[in-house]
mmCIF file of all heavy atoms in Angstrom:
data_model
loop_
_atom_site.group_PDB
_atom_site.id
_atom_site.type_symbol
_atom_site.label_atom_id
_atom_site.label_comp_id
_atom_site.label_asym_id
_atom_site.label_seq_id
_atom_site.Cartn_x
_atom_site.Cartn_y
_atom_site.Cartn_z
ATOM 1 N N MET J 92 5.919 -4.021 13.612
ATOM 2 C CA MET J 92 5.946 -2.619 13.186
ATOM 3 C C MET J 92 6.127 -1.638 14.334
ATOM 4 O O MET J 92 6.160 -0.427 14.104
ATOM 5 C CB MET J 92 4.643 -2.303 12.438
ATOM 6 C CG MET J 92 4.505 -3.171 11.209
ATOM 7 S SD MET J 92 2.801 -3.217 10.684
ATOM 8 C CE MET J 92 2.946 -2.605 9.057
ATOM 9 N N ARG J 102 13.234 -3.269 2.679
ATOM 10 C CA ARG J 102 12.347 -3.839 1.663
ATOM 11 C C ARG J 102 13.095 -4.908 0.869
ATOM 12 O O ARG J 102 14.306 -4.797 0.665
ATOM 13 C CB ARG J 102 11.906 -2.762 0.672
ATOM 14 C CG ARG J 102 11.132 -1.603 1.264
ATOM 15 C CD ARG J 102 9.693 -1.953 1.531
ATOM 16 N NE ARG J 102 8.909 -0.755 1.798
ATOM 17 C CZ ARG J 102 7.859 -0.731 2.573
ATOM 18 N NH1 ARG J 102 7.428 -1.807 3.187
ATOM 19 N NH2 ARG J 102 7.190 0.389 2.753
ATOM 20 N N ILE J 118 11.249 5.963 -2.589
ATOM 21 C CA ILE J 118 11.158 5.760 -1.129
ATOM 22 C C ILE J 118 10.632 4.354 -0.825
ATOM 23 O O ILE J 118 11.179 3.650 0.017
ATOM 24 C CB ILE J 118 10.186 6.769 -0.486
ATOM 25 C CG1 ILE J 118 10.531 8.173 -0.942
ATOM 26 C CG2 ILE J 118 10.219 6.699 1.028
ATOM 27 C CD1 ILE J 118 9.403 9.139 -0.725
ATOM 28 N N ALA J 119 9.576 3.968 -1.523
ATOM 29 C CA ALA J 119 8.851 2.748 -1.151
ATOM 30 C C ALA J 119 9.707 1.485 -1.281
ATOM 31 O O ALA J 119 9.546 0.553 -0.499
ATOM 32 C CB ALA J 119 7.589 2.613 -1.996
ATOM 33 N N TRP J 127 17.314 6.292 2.210
ATOM 34 C CA TRP J 127 15.863 6.244 2.435
ATOM 35 C C TRP J 127 15.435 7.293 3.469
ATOM 36 O O TRP J 127 14.460 8.009 3.295
ATOM 37 C CB TRP J 127 15.454 4.838 2.898
ATOM 38 C CG TRP J 127 14.063 4.824 3.457
ATOM 39 C CD1 TRP J 127 12.902 4.746 2.766
ATOM 40 C CD2 TRP J 127 13.694 4.961 4.834
ATOM 41 N NE1 TRP J 127 11.826 4.821 3.627
ATOM 42 C CE2 TRP J 127 12.293 4.951 4.905
ATOM 43 C CE3 TRP J 127 14.426 5.088 6.015
ATOM 44 C CZ2 TRP J 127 11.598 5.059 6.103
ATOM 45 C CZ3 TRP J 127 13.734 5.202 7.214
ATOM 46 C CH2 TRP J 127 12.335 5.178 7.243
ATOM 47 N N LYS J 131 12.845 10.214 2.646
ATOM 48 C CA LYS J 131 11.518 10.211 3.263
ATOM 49 C C LYS J 131 11.295 11.513 4.026
ATOM 50 O O LYS J 131 10.211 12.097 3.969
ATOM 51 C CB LYS J 131 11.340 9.001 4.187
ATOM 52 C CG LYS J 131 9.897 8.886 4.652
ATOM 53 C CD LYS J 131 9.474 7.493 4.974
ATOM 54 C CE LYS J 131 7.998 7.398 5.242
ATOM 55 N NZ LYS J 131 7.572 6.091 5.667
ATOM 56 N N LEU J 139 4.582 16.603 1.372
ATOM 57 C CA LEU J 139 3.339 16.078 1.949
ATOM 58 C C LEU J 139 3.031 16.664 3.329
ATOM 59 O O LEU J 139 2.278 16.078 4.099
ATOM 60 C CB LEU J 139 3.406 14.545 2.023
ATOM 61 C CG LEU J 139 3.566 13.850 0.658
ATOM 62 C CD1 LEU J 139 3.877 12.385 0.818
ATOM 63 C CD2 LEU J 139 2.313 14.029 -0.190
ATOM 64 N N ILE J 184 -3.814 13.915 -8.609
ATOM 65 C CA ILE J 184 -2.427 13.438 -8.460
ATOM 66 C C ILE J 184 -1.523 14.024 -9.552
ATOM 67 O O ILE J 184 -0.433 14.520 -9.275
ATOM 68 C CB ILE J 184 -2.384 11.878 -8.517
ATOM 69 C CG1 ILE J 184 -2.805 11.305 -7.170
ATOM 70 C CG2 ILE J 184 -1.019 11.347 -8.906
ATOM 71 C CD1 ILE J 184 -1.732 11.402 -6.081
ATOM 72 N N PHE J 269 4.811 19.204 -7.378
ATOM 73 C CA PHE J 269 5.916 18.501 -6.714
ATOM 74 C C PHE J 269 7.235 18.602 -7.496
ATOM 75 O O PHE J 269 8.307 18.642 -6.913
ATOM 76 C CB PHE J 269 5.548 17.024 -6.491
ATOM 77 C CG PHE J 269 4.497 16.825 -5.428
ATOM 78 C CD1 PHE J 269 3.882 15.592 -5.267
ATOM 79 C CD2 PHE J 269 4.140 17.851 -4.570
ATOM 80 C CE1 PHE J 269 2.918 15.395 -4.283
ATOM 81 C CE2 PHE J 269 3.173 17.669 -3.584
ATOM 82 C CZ PHE J 269 2.561 16.434 -3.447
ATOM 83 N N ASP J 297 6.819 7.289 -7.403
ATOM 84 C CA ASP J 297 6.288 6.768 -6.136
ATOM 85 C C ASP J 297 4.953 7.419 -5.788
ATOM 86 O O ASP J 297 4.016 6.761 -5.336
ATOM 87 C CB ASP J 297 7.266 7.105 -5.005
ATOM 88 C CG ASP J 297 7.902 5.865 -4.417
ATOM 89 O OD1 ASP J 297 7.722 4.798 -5.009
ATOM 90 O OD2 ASP J 297 8.579 5.982 -3.380
ATOM 91 N N VAL J 298 4.903 8.747 -5.985
ATOM 92 C CA VAL J 298 3.675 9.476 -5.652
ATOM 93 C C VAL J 298 2.544 8.993 -6.565
ATOM 94 O O VAL J 298 1.423 8.748 -6.112
ATOM 95 C CB VAL J 298 3.894 10.999 -5.781
ATOM 96 C CG1 VAL J 298 2.575 11.743 -5.634
ATOM 97 C CG2 VAL J 298 4.880 11.484 -4.737
ATOM 98 N N GLY J 301 1.727 5.475 -5.482
ATOM 99 C CA GLY J 301 1.071 5.434 -4.173
ATOM 100 C C GLY J 301 -0.302 6.077 -4.169
ATOM 101 O O GLY J 301 -1.201 5.646 -3.452
ATOM 102 N N GLY J 302 -0.470 7.119 -4.993
ATOM 103 C CA GLY J 302 -1.683 7.908 -4.847
ATOM 104 C C GLY J 302 -2.740 7.713 -5.906
ATOM 105 O O GLY J 302 -3.903 8.028 -5.685
ATOM 106 N N THR J 305 -5.114 4.218 -5.098
ATOM 107 C CA THR J 305 -5.511 3.920 -3.720
ATOM 108 C C THR J 305 -6.791 4.668 -3.320
ATOM 109 O O THR J 305 -7.755 4.052 -2.864
ATOM 110 C CB THR J 305 -4.372 4.288 -2.748
ATOM 111 O OG1 THR J 305 -3.785 5.504 -3.200
ATOM 112 C CG2 THR J 305 -3.318 3.221 -2.661
ATOM 113 N N ALA J 306 -6.795 5.992 -3.545
ATOM 114 C CA ALA J 306 -7.973 6.768 -3.127
ATOM 115 C C ALA J 306 -9.178 6.433 -4.003
ATOM 116 O O ALA J 306 -10.303 6.312 -3.502
ATOM 117 C CB ALA J 306 -7.660 8.258 -3.184
ATOM 118 N N SER J 309 -10.659 3.119 -3.026
ATOM 119 C CA SER J 309 -11.323 3.230 -1.715
ATOM 120 C C SER J 309 -12.680 3.878 -1.872
ATOM 121 O O SER J 309 -13.664 3.468 -1.238
ATOM 122 C CB SER J 309 -10.503 4.096 -0.755
ATOM 123 O OG SER J 309 -9.330 3.439 -0.437
ATOM 124 N N PHE J 360 -12.075 1.281 5.212
ATOM 125 C CA PHE J 360 -10.676 0.831 5.239
ATOM 126 C C PHE J 360 -10.537 -0.510 5.960
ATOM 127 O O PHE J 360 -9.688 -1.314 5.636
ATOM 128 C CB PHE J 360 -9.790 1.868 5.939
ATOM 129 C CG PHE J 360 -9.266 2.944 5.024
ATOM 130 C CD1 PHE J 360 -9.120 4.244 5.485
ATOM 131 C CD2 PHE J 360 -8.898 2.671 3.718
ATOM 132 C CE1 PHE J 360 -8.622 5.240 4.651
ATOM 133 C CE2 PHE J 360 -8.405 3.655 2.875
ATOM 134 C CZ PHE J 360 -8.268 4.943 3.353
ATOM 135 N N PRO J 365 -6.942 -1.061 0.692
ATOM 136 C CA PRO J 365 -6.493 -0.986 -0.704
ATOM 137 C C PRO J 365 -5.280 -1.876 -1.005
ATOM 138 O O PRO J 365 -5.228 -2.510 -2.051
ATOM 139 C CB PRO J 365 -6.148 0.489 -0.887
ATOM 140 C CG PRO J 365 -6.930 1.206 0.163
ATOM 141 C CD PRO J 365 -7.037 0.267 1.320
ATOM 142 N N ALA J 366 -4.292 -1.906 -0.102
ATOM 143 C CA ALA J 366 -3.133 -2.797 -0.305
ATOM 144 C C ALA J 366 -3.219 -3.868 0.785
ATOM 145 O O ALA J 366 -2.650 -3.702 1.865
ATOM 146 C CB ALA J 366 -1.843 -2.004 -0.192
ATOM 147 N N LEU J 369 -0.085 -4.899 2.408
ATOM 148 C CA LEU J 369 0.826 -3.749 2.547
ATOM 149 C C LEU J 369 1.962 -3.858 1.528
ATOM 150 O O LEU J 369 1.743 -4.363 0.431
ATOM 151 C CB LEU J 369 1.347 -3.645 3.994
ATOM 152 C CG LEU J 369 0.282 -3.669 5.105
ATOM 153 C CD1 LEU J 369 0.925 -3.448 6.473
ATOM 154 C CD2 LEU J 369 -0.813 -2.635 4.887
ATOM 155 N N ILE J 370 3.169 -3.416 1.886
ATOM 156 C CA ILE J 370 4.330 -3.623 0.999
ATOM 157 C C ILE J 370 5.292 -4.499 1.805
ATOM 158 O O ILE J 370 5.539 -4.202 2.982
ATOM 159 C CB ILE J 370 5.019 -2.282 0.626
ATOM 160 C CG1 ILE J 370 4.021 -1.311 -0.026
ATOM 161 C CG2 ILE J 370 6.198 -2.528 -0.316
ATOM 162 C CD1 ILE J 370 4.622 0.055 -0.383
ATOM 163 N N ARG J 372 8.295 -6.370 3.729
ATOM 164 C CA ARG J 372 9.498 -5.867 4.401
ATOM 165 C C ARG J 372 10.541 -6.982 4.445
ATOM 166 O O ARG J 372 10.229 -8.136 4.179
ATOM 167 C CB ARG J 372 9.153 -5.480 5.835
ATOM 168 C CG ARG J 372 7.919 -4.607 5.933
ATOM 169 C CD ARG J 372 8.219 -3.408 6.707
ATOM 170 N NE ARG J 372 7.060 -2.553 6.878
ATOM 171 C CZ ARG J 372 6.932 -1.761 7.935
ATOM 172 N NH1 ARG J 372 7.824 -1.804 8.904
ATOM 173 N NH2 ARG J 372 5.907 -0.941 8.023
ATOM 174 N N LEU J 431 -4.818 -1.171 9.667
ATOM 175 C CA LEU J 431 -3.528 -0.769 9.105
ATOM 176 C C LEU J 431 -3.552 -0.438 7.606
ATOM 177 O O LEU J 431 -2.671 -0.883 6.864
ATOM 178 C CB LEU J 431 -2.505 -1.905 9.329
ATOM 179 C CG LEU J 431 -2.068 -2.178 10.758
ATOM 180 C CD1 LEU J 431 -1.283 -3.483 10.849
ATOM 181 C CD2 LEU J 431 -1.214 -1.026 11.293
ATOM 182 N N PRO J 432 -4.514 0.336 7.132
ATOM 183 C CA PRO J 432 -4.536 0.572 5.682
ATOM 184 C C PRO J 432 -3.290 1.296 5.179
ATOM 185 O O PRO J 432 -2.916 1.153 4.013
ATOM 186 C CB PRO J 432 -5.783 1.451 5.471
ATOM 187 C CG PRO J 432 -6.035 2.080 6.795
ATOM 188 C CD PRO J 432 -5.582 1.090 7.816
ATOM 189 N N PHE J 433 -2.638 2.089 6.039
ATOM 190 C CA PHE J 433 -1.453 2.839 5.618
ATOM 191 C C PHE J 433 -0.178 2.262 6.235
ATOM 192 O O PHE J 433 0.854 2.909 6.225
ATOM 193 C CB PHE J 433 -1.594 4.310 6.016
ATOM 194 C CG PHE J 433 -2.718 5.029 5.306
ATOM 195 C CD1 PHE J 433 -3.981 5.119 5.871
ATOM 196 C CD2 PHE J 433 -2.507 5.609 4.063
ATOM 197 C CE1 PHE J 433 -5.013 5.786 5.223
ATOM 198 C CE2 PHE J 433 -3.538 6.286 3.408
ATOM 199 C CZ PHE J 433 -4.788 6.364 3.985
ATOM 200 N N GLY J 434 -0.247 1.038 6.769
ATOM 201 C CA GLY J 434 0.912 0.459 7.434
ATOM 202 C C GLY J 434 1.179 1.167 8.753
ATOM 203 O O GLY J 434 0.317 1.891 9.284
ATOM 204 N N ALA J 435 2.389 0.982 9.290
ATOM 205 C CA ALA J 435 2.750 1.614 10.561
ATOM 206 C C ALA J 435 4.265 1.635 10.683
ATOM 207 O O ALA J 435 4.961 0.964 9.926
ATOM 208 C CB ALA J 435 2.145 0.837 11.731
ATOM 209 N N ARG J 437 8.247 3.005 10.851
ATOM 210 C CA ARG J 437 9.125 3.792 9.979
ATOM 211 C C ARG J 437 8.694 3.776 8.517
ATOM 212 O O ARG J 437 8.837 4.758 7.814
ATOM 213 C CB ARG J 437 10.557 3.259 10.066
ATOM 214 C CG ARG J 437 11.269 3.603 11.354
ATOM 215 C CD ARG J 437 12.542 2.763 11.454
ATOM 216 N NE ARG J 437 13.363 3.136 12.595
ATOM 217 C CZ ARG J 437 13.074 2.830 13.858
ATOM 218 N NH1 ARG J 437 11.964 2.165 14.145
ATOM 219 N NH2 ARG J 437 13.881 3.178 14.842
ATOM 220 N N ARG J 438 8.207 2.626 8.059
ATOM 221 C CA ARG J 438 7.876 2.524 6.636
ATOM 222 C C ARG J 438 6.420 2.869 6.349
ATOM 223 O O ARG J 438 5.928 2.629 5.249
ATOM 224 C CB ARG J 438 8.156 1.114 6.104
ATOM 225 C CG ARG J 438 9.599 0.653 6.068
ATOM 226 C CD ARG J 438 10.619 1.521 5.411
ATOM 227 N NE ARG J 438 10.618 1.736 4.003
ATOM 228 C CZ ARG J 438 11.656 1.511 3.173
ATOM 229 N NH1 ARG J 438 12.763 0.960 3.628
ATOM 230 N NH2 ARG J 438 11.604 1.818 1.901
ATOM 231 N N ALA J 439 5.726 3.452 7.309
ATOM 232 C CA ALA J 439 4.306 3.781 7.093
ATOM 233 C C ALA J 439 4.159 4.761 5.936
ATOM 234 O O ALA J 439 5.099 5.473 5.574
ATOM 235 C CB ALA J 439 3.735 4.393 8.361
ATOM 236 N N CYS J 440 2.960 4.787 5.384
ATOM 237 C CA CYS J 440 2.672 5.650 4.234
ATOM 238 C C CYS J 440 2.746 7.125 4.630
ATOM 239 O O CYS J 440 2.120 7.546 5.599
ATOM 240 C CB CYS J 440 1.275 5.340 3.724
ATOM 241 S SG CYS J 440 0.789 6.414 2.367
ATOM 242 N N PRO J 441 3.481 7.927 3.874
ATOM 243 C CA PRO J 441 3.505 9.366 4.177
ATOM 244 C C PRO J 441 2.355 10.133 3.509
ATOM 245 O O PRO J 441 2.260 11.345 3.641
ATOM 246 C CB PRO J 441 4.849 9.814 3.584
ATOM 247 C CG PRO J 441 5.091 8.860 2.445
ATOM 248 C CD PRO J 441 4.396 7.563 2.773
ATOM 249 N N GLY J 442 1.476 9.396 2.777
ATOM 250 C CA GLY J 442 0.447 10.082 1.975
ATOM 251 C C GLY J 442 -0.930 10.159 2.625
ATOM 252 O O GLY J 442 -1.902 10.503 1.951
ATOM 253 N N PHE J 445 -2.577 13.510 2.376
ATOM 254 C CA PHE J 445 -2.881 13.858 0.990
ATOM 255 C C PHE J 445 -4.189 13.186 0.547
ATOM 256 O O PHE J 445 -5.008 13.791 -0.135
ATOM 257 C CB PHE J 445 -1.716 13.412 0.094
ATOM 258 C CG PHE J 445 -1.814 13.904 -1.320
ATOM 259 C CD1 PHE J 445 -1.178 15.075 -1.705
ATOM 260 C CD2 PHE J 445 -2.542 13.210 -2.270
ATOM 261 C CE1 PHE J 445 -1.273 15.545 -3.006
ATOM 262 C CE2 PHE J 445 -2.649 13.668 -3.576
ATOM 263 C CZ PHE J 445 -2.007 14.837 -3.946
ATOM 264 N N SER J 446 -4.369 11.908 0.952
ATOM 265 C CA SER J 446 -5.512 11.138 0.453
ATOM 266 C C SER J 446 -6.806 11.429 1.217
ATOM 267 O O SER J 446 -7.884 11.437 0.617
ATOM 268 C CB SER J 446 -5.253 9.641 0.606
ATOM 269 O OG SER J 446 -4.007 9.327 0.104
ATOM 270 N N MET J 450 -10.841 11.810 -0.284
ATOM 271 C CA MET J 450 -11.903 10.816 -0.078
ATOM 272 C C MET J 450 -13.085 11.435 0.669
ATOM 273 O O MET J 450 -14.244 11.250 0.288
ATOM 274 C CB MET J 450 -11.352 9.607 0.685
ATOM 275 C CG MET J 450 -10.363 8.813 -0.150
ATOM 276 S SD MET J 450 -9.779 7.352 0.679
ATOM 277 C CE MET J 450 -8.813 8.011 1.961
HETATM 278 C C1 HEM H 1 -5.782 5.690 0.312
HETATM 279 C C2 HEM H 1 -4.551 6.053 0.018
HETATM 280 C C3 HEM H 1 -3.304 5.287 0.330
HETATM 281 C C4 HEM H 1 -3.134 4.062 0.930
HETATM 282 C C5 HEM H 1 -4.213 3.125 1.450
HETATM 283 C C6 HEM H 1 -1.716 3.812 1.002
HETATM 284 C C7 HEM H 1 -1.142 2.675 1.554
HETATM 285 C C8 HEM H 1 0.214 2.494 1.734
HETATM 286 C C9 HEM H 1 0.793 1.339 2.385
HETATM 287 C C10 HEM H 1 0.033 0.179 2.953
HETATM 288 C C11 HEM H 1 2.141 1.515 2.406
HETATM 289 C C12 HEM H 1 3.172 0.556 3.008
HETATM 290 C C13 HEM H 1 3.288 0.815 4.485
HETATM 291 C C14 HEM H 1 4.172 -0.156 5.237
HETATM 292 O O1 HEM H 1 5.045 -0.812 4.667
HETATM 293 O O2 HEM H 1 3.974 -0.229 6.474
HETATM 294 C C15 HEM H 1 2.418 2.769 1.746
HETATM 295 C C16 HEM H 1 3.665 3.279 1.566
HETATM 296 C C17 HEM H 1 3.912 4.421 0.865
HETATM 297 N N1 HEM H 1 2.968 5.288 0.346
HETATM 298 FE FE1 HEM H 1 0.977 5.133 0.471
HETATM 299 N N2 HEM H 1 -1.042 4.873 0.461
HETATM 300 C C18 HEM H 1 -1.968 5.791 0.039
HETATM 301 C C19 HEM H 1 -1.718 7.014 -0.542
HETATM 302 C C20 HEM H 1 -0.472 7.496 -0.818
HETATM 303 C C21 HEM H 1 -0.203 8.779 -1.435
HETATM 304 C C22 HEM H 1 -1.270 9.789 -1.845
HETATM 305 C C23 HEM H 1 1.144 8.877 -1.544
HETATM 306 C C24 HEM H 1 1.967 10.006 -2.074
HETATM 307 C C25 HEM H 1 1.502 11.212 -2.291
HETATM 308 C C26 HEM H 1 1.733 7.667 -0.997
HETATM 309 C C27 HEM H 1 3.071 7.385 -0.941
HETATM 310 C C28 HEM H 1 3.632 6.304 -0.302
HETATM 311 C C29 HEM H 1 5.071 6.083 -0.181
HETATM 312 C C30 HEM H 1 6.168 6.973 -0.742
HETATM 313 C C31 HEM H 1 5.231 4.904 0.561
HETATM 314 C C32 HEM H 1 6.537 4.247 0.963
HETATM 315 C C33 HEM H 1 6.924 4.591 2.396
HETATM 316 C C34 HEM H 1 8.223 3.914 2.823
HETATM 317 O O3 HEM H 1 8.551 2.845 2.305
HETATM 318 O O4 HEM H 1 8.901 4.470 3.695
HETATM 319 N N3 HEM H 1 0.721 6.856 -0.569
HETATM 320 N N4 HEM H 1 1.225 3.361 1.358
#
Side-chain angles (χ1 to χ4, degrees):
M92 299 160 122
R102 299 282 193 210
I118 310 162
W127 166 83
K131 189 152 188 185
L139 299 170
I184 281 284
F269 289 169
D297 246 10
V298 172
T305 39
S309 292
F360 273 144
L369 309 184
I370 303 178
R372 311 232 182 152
L431 291 169
F433 295 93
R437 286 167 174 74
R438 294 308 292 235
C440 177
F445 189 94
S446 311
M450 292 183 291

